[in-house]
Amino acid sequence: MHRRLGGAAASALVMAVGTTLALSACAPPPAPPPVTIIATVTATPEPAPEPTPTPTPVAEAPAEPAPDPVPNDPAPVVEPGPAVDLGARDGATGTPIVDETGMPTSYTVVSGDSFFDIAQRFDLPQQQLLRMNPQVHDFGEAVYIGDVINLDWTKTG
């Protein structure tokens, strides 16, 4: 038994079928099923490092032992000698006055200088430099910008 649809009902049915067909053309295709990948990690053996041979220590000749100190023995005498300019350094950056032979005779203290560094620059023991400069007080702790330091070991002051 077949039934015929009237004009309006037939039109509605055609429109519904057409819309369904039109919309089904816009839908994306179904996604493919997920793929399972199995990875196996194999460790690559690294070569073992070769041990570095330890050098055999060479026995040094024993140093001469220092003499035992003798109570109340006088201190070793430091022979005075001429000043030798080893070049500017931190704590002694000024320019020395030199004689006709090029030997430094005096040095004027500049900012940042210290008595110890001046003695080091001119290769003089600090005690010798103090003996050569009796005007310097407090064992060389008090030097001031503009002080003139004697570097001539044959003179004092």
Side-chain angles (χ1 to χ4, degrees):
M1 175 161 143
H2 286 23
R3 197 165 146 207
R4 278 199 171 239
L5 297 173
S11 268
L13 180 62
V14 169
M15 191 183 251
V17 170
T19 303
T20 302
L21 287 177
L23 289 178
S24 68
C26 293
V35 177
T36 303
I37 298 175
I38 299 173
T40 305
V41 178
T42 350
T44 305
E46 301 233 355
E50 299 261 338
T52 305
T54 305
T56 306
V58 178
E60 293 182 21
E64 217 173 279
D68 289 333
V70 177
N72 299 324
D73 202 24
V77 177
V78 176
E79 294 296 323
V84 178
D85 189 0
L86 301 177
R89 62 185 297 152
D90 287 341
T93 58
T95 305
I97 304 296
V98 294
D99 63 10
E100 61 279 348
T101 64
M103 296 301 292
T105 56
S106 65
Y107 176 84
T108 304
V109 177
V110 296
S111 177
D113 282 358
S114 75
F115 193 77
F116 174 78
D117 289 320
I118 294 168
Q120 292 290 307
R121 173 179 175 173
F122 293 101
D123 197 25
L124 295 170
Q126 192 170 0
Q127 290 301 320
Q128 178 184 342
L129 193 56
L130 281 168
R131 280 193 299 275
M132 293 165 45
N133 293 279
Q135 79 279 11
V136 175
H137 300 289
D138 299 326
F139 301 107
E141 293 294 321
V143 289
Y144 301 99
I145 296 171
D147 283 354
V148 177
I149 305 295
N150 173 39
L151 297 174
D152 185 353
W153 68 288
T154 62
K155 298 180 182 170
T156 301

